Amino acid sequence: MNILQQTWALIKKDARIEWRKRQAIGGILLYVLSTTFVVYSIVGEKTSGVVWAALYWIIVLFASVNAVAKSFVQENQERQLYYYSLLQPTALILSKIFYNTLLLFVVCLLSYGSFSLIMDNPIRFQGLFFLLMFLGSLGFSIAFSFVAAIAAKAQQAATLMAILSFPIVIPILMTLLRLSKIALGLMTDTMYYKDIFILLAIDLILGSIVLLLFPFLWRD
């Protein structure tokens, strides 16, 4: 099989495993709903747009770490050796990135829905905010998938995920917060598409670095 066929086969495999272990999706949903309720209990139904956006992305960030951390940790050494004999490393990391992007986009939608249901929804430009959800999911997926691979090799998943991942995603998070202010209508910036290109460029640069470095990590 070529890279695309291997990638698609791995994505379907991960989807089947996730469907069999529904407690993972249930845990993410419970985390999103419980944290949203805690935020509502503290700040109330009425809150400023900046606080709303900040709390939203913080919840999405930590939910993303929990969702992606198991990407490589759940693969035992025997299965990794089996993959090593069959697959190209590019296909493996691409499948993880694509699948985790979809998973994190679902996390973003769940968080958005729970925030809108429990608290007011101050977003004025919905289309822009949904674009930010996708680009943010892609950036988080690329960064956290590679860090999860490193953590699985070092067998210190929780510690390394916390230490390595957050410095990497700070540029993504800061750009998301700036664009969120525009989506909220708090800033008037006719050149905001430049920030979108910056966010897309960050995702592409991270993706290129991961594709370049993962084969060396895979051979270890």
Side-chain angles (χ1 to χ4, degrees):
M1 294 190 294
N2 57 34
I3 290 179
L4 292 179
Q5 291 174 328
Q6 291 179 1
T7 302
W8 177 241
L10 288 169
I11 291 174
K12 291 191 294 184
K13 183 268 297 181
D14 286 337
R16 286 195 296 267
I17 292 177
E18 200 76 51
W19 178 252
R20 291 172 185 171
K21 299 179 179 180
R22 297 184 182 89
Q23 64 269 23
I25 297 294
I28 295 173
L29 179 60
L30 178 61
Y31 172 82
V32 169
L33 292 176
S34 60
T35 50
T36 303
F37 180 75
V38 170
V39 168
Y40 169 75
S41 302
I42 295 174
V43 302
E45 183 177 353
K46 301 288 184 179
T47 183
S48 65
V50 176
V51 174
W52 191 97
L55 292 173
Y56 172 83
W57 286 115
I58 289 173
I59 289 176
V60 167
L61 178 64
F62 283 97
S64 299
V65 174
N66 294 329
V68 179
K70 58 183 175 53
S71 294
F72 288 91
V73 177
Q74 68 181 1
E75 309 282 3
N76 56 42
Q77 293 183 354
E78 291 78 9
R79 184 179 296 176
Q80 291 184 18
L81 183 60
Y82 178 67
Y83 289 161
Y84 188 86
S85 63
L86 291 179
L87 303 174
Q88 299 184 45
T90 303
L92 180 60
I93 191 62
L94 281 177
S95 68
K96 296 296 184 182
I97 290 173
F98 290 151
Y99 180 78
N100 288 331
T101 298
L102 178 60
L103 180 62
L104 297 188
F105 188 67
V106 172
V107 170
C108 288
L109 291 177
L110 290 174
S111 302
Y112 183 78
S114 62
F115 262 56
S116 301
L117 180 64
I118 298 177
M119 300 187 292
D120 286 341
N121 185 351
I123 302 296
R124 291 182 57 187
F125 304 103
Q126 303 287 339
L128 175 59
F129 198 74
F130 277 95
L131 178 61
L132 296 183
M133 288 184 195
F134 174 75
L135 293 178
S137 300
L138 178 60
F140 291 160
S141 173
I142 294 170
F144 293 151
S145 296
F146 187 60
V147 173
I150 297 174
K153 289 291 184 180
Q155 298 181 351
Q156 294 290 334
T159 305
L160 285 181
M161 282 291 292
I163 295 174
L164 297 179
S165 60
F166 290 110
I168 297 175
V169 300
I170 284 177
I172 300 175
L173 192 59
M174 297 301 294
T175 309
L176 287 172
L177 289 174
R178 173 176 169 77
L179 288 169
S180 296
K181 292 180 182 178
I182 299 174
L184 288 163
L186 301 177
M187 293 176 58
T188 303
D189 188 355
T190 57
M191 306 293 286
Y192 69 89
Y193 64 87
K194 290 185 177 180
D195 289 322
I196 295 178
F197 287 146
I198 290 173
L199 183 58
L200 182 59
I202 293 173
D203 291 347
L204 292 177
I205 291 172
L206 279 177
S208 301
I209 294 173
V210 169
L211 291 177
L212 180 64
L213 296 180
F214 183 76
F216 297 98
L217 178 67
W218 178 251
R219 296 191 189 103
D220 184 13

